[in-house]
Amino acid sequence: MKGRNFLKLLDYTPAEIMHLIDLAADLKAKKKAGIPHKMCEGKNIVLLFEKDSTRTRCAFEVAGADLGMSVTYLGPSGSQMGKKESIADTARVLGRMYDGIEYRGYGQEIVEELAKHAGVPVWNGLTNEFHPTQILADMLTIRERFGYLKGINFVYMGDARYNMGNSLMVGCAKLGLNFTACCPEKYFPSKELIATCQAIAEETGAILRFETDSAIAAKDADVIYTDVWVSMGEPAEVWAERIEELSPYRVTQELMDIAGPQCKFMHCLPAFHDLNTKIGKEMGEQFGIDCMEVTDEVFEGPQSIVFDEAENRMHTIKAVMAATL
């Protein structure tokens, strides 16, 4: 994998994805045991963020330090990319100075353009369409809990049209998990991506389902996963529509009980499980609710593994950088 970009899981075979998960598990074990693993000592990487993130930034910075690298962070106002300098020119400049480039921001076409011109590995930290490093962390977390991936019944509740719904469907299809998207039909992934994933699923044995009834979707689920209903960069006006249309897909203890005691709750974070955030408080006051996509009971309950999942972002990102550098 040396020298390759990591832009979306569609670019990788199931065996390659499993290799990255195995490598992440090995590097995690080394870190827990205090065994140094400076596999990339002397290298330099740059993080290009057009969208802020706690987990993605910290995961890349800690992973880079553990691998022995120097890390430069360029926030939303830290570069001239797309403003005074083209994406292609930015890529060529940074590729002369750095051994790897991470991008987190908007359209998938931006990270693809960076990769086309950089001459060094480019890693997708999140775009509107895909979030591949998150899916590696999710799969490592599921395997840690269940001991296997193939045949797991995985249910995604909420808006499945964008990066998380797309990437989870791809990841499940690639690795043989049974994937269900549960939401109103207008929130299903695109027909084109569904067709692509169906073709992959035929080879791996995965089953893809698209359901509008949350109780039916939750039955026998091993994992119930959700995400915030409004993504970063979307206008505030869409909150009212999303709350009205997606509230029936809120992950409640009743849904977890329908699934069964084996079921784990997952969320890529941040989560609006209470009113202890500025946006959560505003939405609570405006719409008379005390949570959005998941109840506090589930989020803080014994079936929740969201913080294992958050930690594993760092271990899987470390694996991606180590493998490609």
Side-chain angles (χ1 to χ4, degrees):
M1 293 185 191
K2 185 177 180 181
R4 286 181 63 180
N5 301 307
F6 189 72
L7 307 181
K8 57 186 183 299
L9 290 182
L10 288 170
D11 300 333
Y12 280 72
T13 67
E16 289 168 339
I17 296 168
M18 287 305 303
H19 170 72
L20 290 171
I21 294 170
D22 290 341
L23 178 57
D26 180 63
L27 293 173
K28 181 176 181 177
K30 284 184 168 65
K31 186 173 178 68
K32 298 293 185 183
I35 300 171
H37 43 283
K38 296 187 180 296
M39 303 162 64
C40 302
E41 196 159 20
K43 293 188 180 294
N44 300 281
I45 62 170
V46 61
L47 313 180
L48 281 174
F49 275 58
E50 291 189 306
K51 289 184 178 180
D52 289 323
S53 167
T54 301
R55 275 150 302 283
T56 303
R57 177 178 177 179
C58 294
F60 269 99
E61 290 194 348
V62 174
D66 284 353
L67 291 172
M69 296 191 289
S70 173
V71 182
T72 300
Y73 171 77
L74 296 176
S77 61
S79 83
Q80 294 298 332
M81 185 178 73
K83 298 186 283 285
K84 291 183 178 180
E85 187 168 48
S86 70
I87 296 165
D89 289 356
T90 300
R92 287 181 285 190
V93 169
L94 294 178
R96 296 294 185 96
M97 299 181 183
Y98 292 96
D99 300 291
I101 301 169
E102 180 271 354
Y103 172 79
R104 177 184 170 91
Y106 295 95
Q108 180 72 15
E109 70 276 3
I110 299 174
V111 76
E112 299 278 352
E113 181 81 355
L114 283 169
K116 181 179 177 181
H117 297 282
V120 297
V122 173
W123 311 298
N124 180 358
L126 174 141
T127 62
N128 292 341
E129 293 85 359
F130 294 108
H131 197 1
T133 61
Q134 178 66 53
I135 277 53
L136 289 183
D138 297 338
M139 295 302 167
L140 175 60
T141 307
I142 293 168
R143 194 176 71 172
E144 287 175 341
R145 288 292 175 150
F146 291 91
Y148 62 95
L149 290 171
K150 192 174 179 64
I152 287 287
N153 293 321
F154 186 103
V155 177
Y156 181 80
M157 296 277 182
D159 191 344
R161 298 172 296 175
Y162 300 125
N163 46 39
M164 285 310 303
N166 289 346
S167 295
L168 286 165
M169 181 171 65
V170 171
C172 288
K174 287 273 187 179
L175 299 180
L177 291 79
N178 300 320
F179 175 83
T180 300
C182 184
C183 50
E185 286 189 24
K186 65 182 281 189
Y187 292 102
F188 287 170
S190 71
K191 291 181 180 178
E192 293 78 12
L193 186 59
I194 289 174
T196 298
C197 289
Q198 289 283 18
I200 295 168
E202 288 177 9
E203 297 180 3
T204 64
I207 298 170
L208 307 185
R209 293 194 305 154
F210 303 91
E211 181 58 67
T212 58
D213 187 312
S214 58
I216 292 174
K219 191 175 187 309
D220 298 323
D222 295 309
V223 174
I224 294 180
Y225 196 117
T226 193
D227 189 14
V228 294
W229 291 338
V230 176
S231 298
M232 189 181 300
E234 291 191 275
E237 296 77 48
V238 302
W239 275 110
E241 176 188 60
R242 300 285 168 80
I243 288 171
E244 178 183 357
E245 295 180 347
L246 293 176
S247 287
Y249 304 93
R250 175 179 293 127
V251 181
T252 63
Q253 191 58 49
E254 180 183 2
L255 272 187
M256 298 299 292
D257 291 342
I258 290 171
Q262 83 291 339
C263 186
K264 302 301 180 186
F265 171 73
M266 298 180 71
H267 193 304
C268 54
L269 304 182
F272 293 115
H273 58 98
D274 55 24
L275 304 181
N276 295 332
T277 61
K278 180 180 178 182
I279 294 175
K281 184 179 180 181
E282 289 175 358
M283 295 303 111
E285 291 173 350
Q286 185 173 345
F287 297 102
I289 54 178
D290 59 6
C291 64
M292 280 187 265
E293 72 276 8
V294 58
T295 64
D296 196 54
E297 180 183 17
V298 171
F299 187 89
E300 297 290 359
Q303 291 169 281
S304 175
I305 54 173
V306 298
F307 296 109
D308 293 341
E309 185 185 357
E311 178 192 336
N312 281 339
R313 287 295 304 287
M314 188 265 290
H315 303 299
T316 46
I317 282 169
K318 188 187 297 183
V320 169
M321 293 195 295
T324 55
L325 292 177

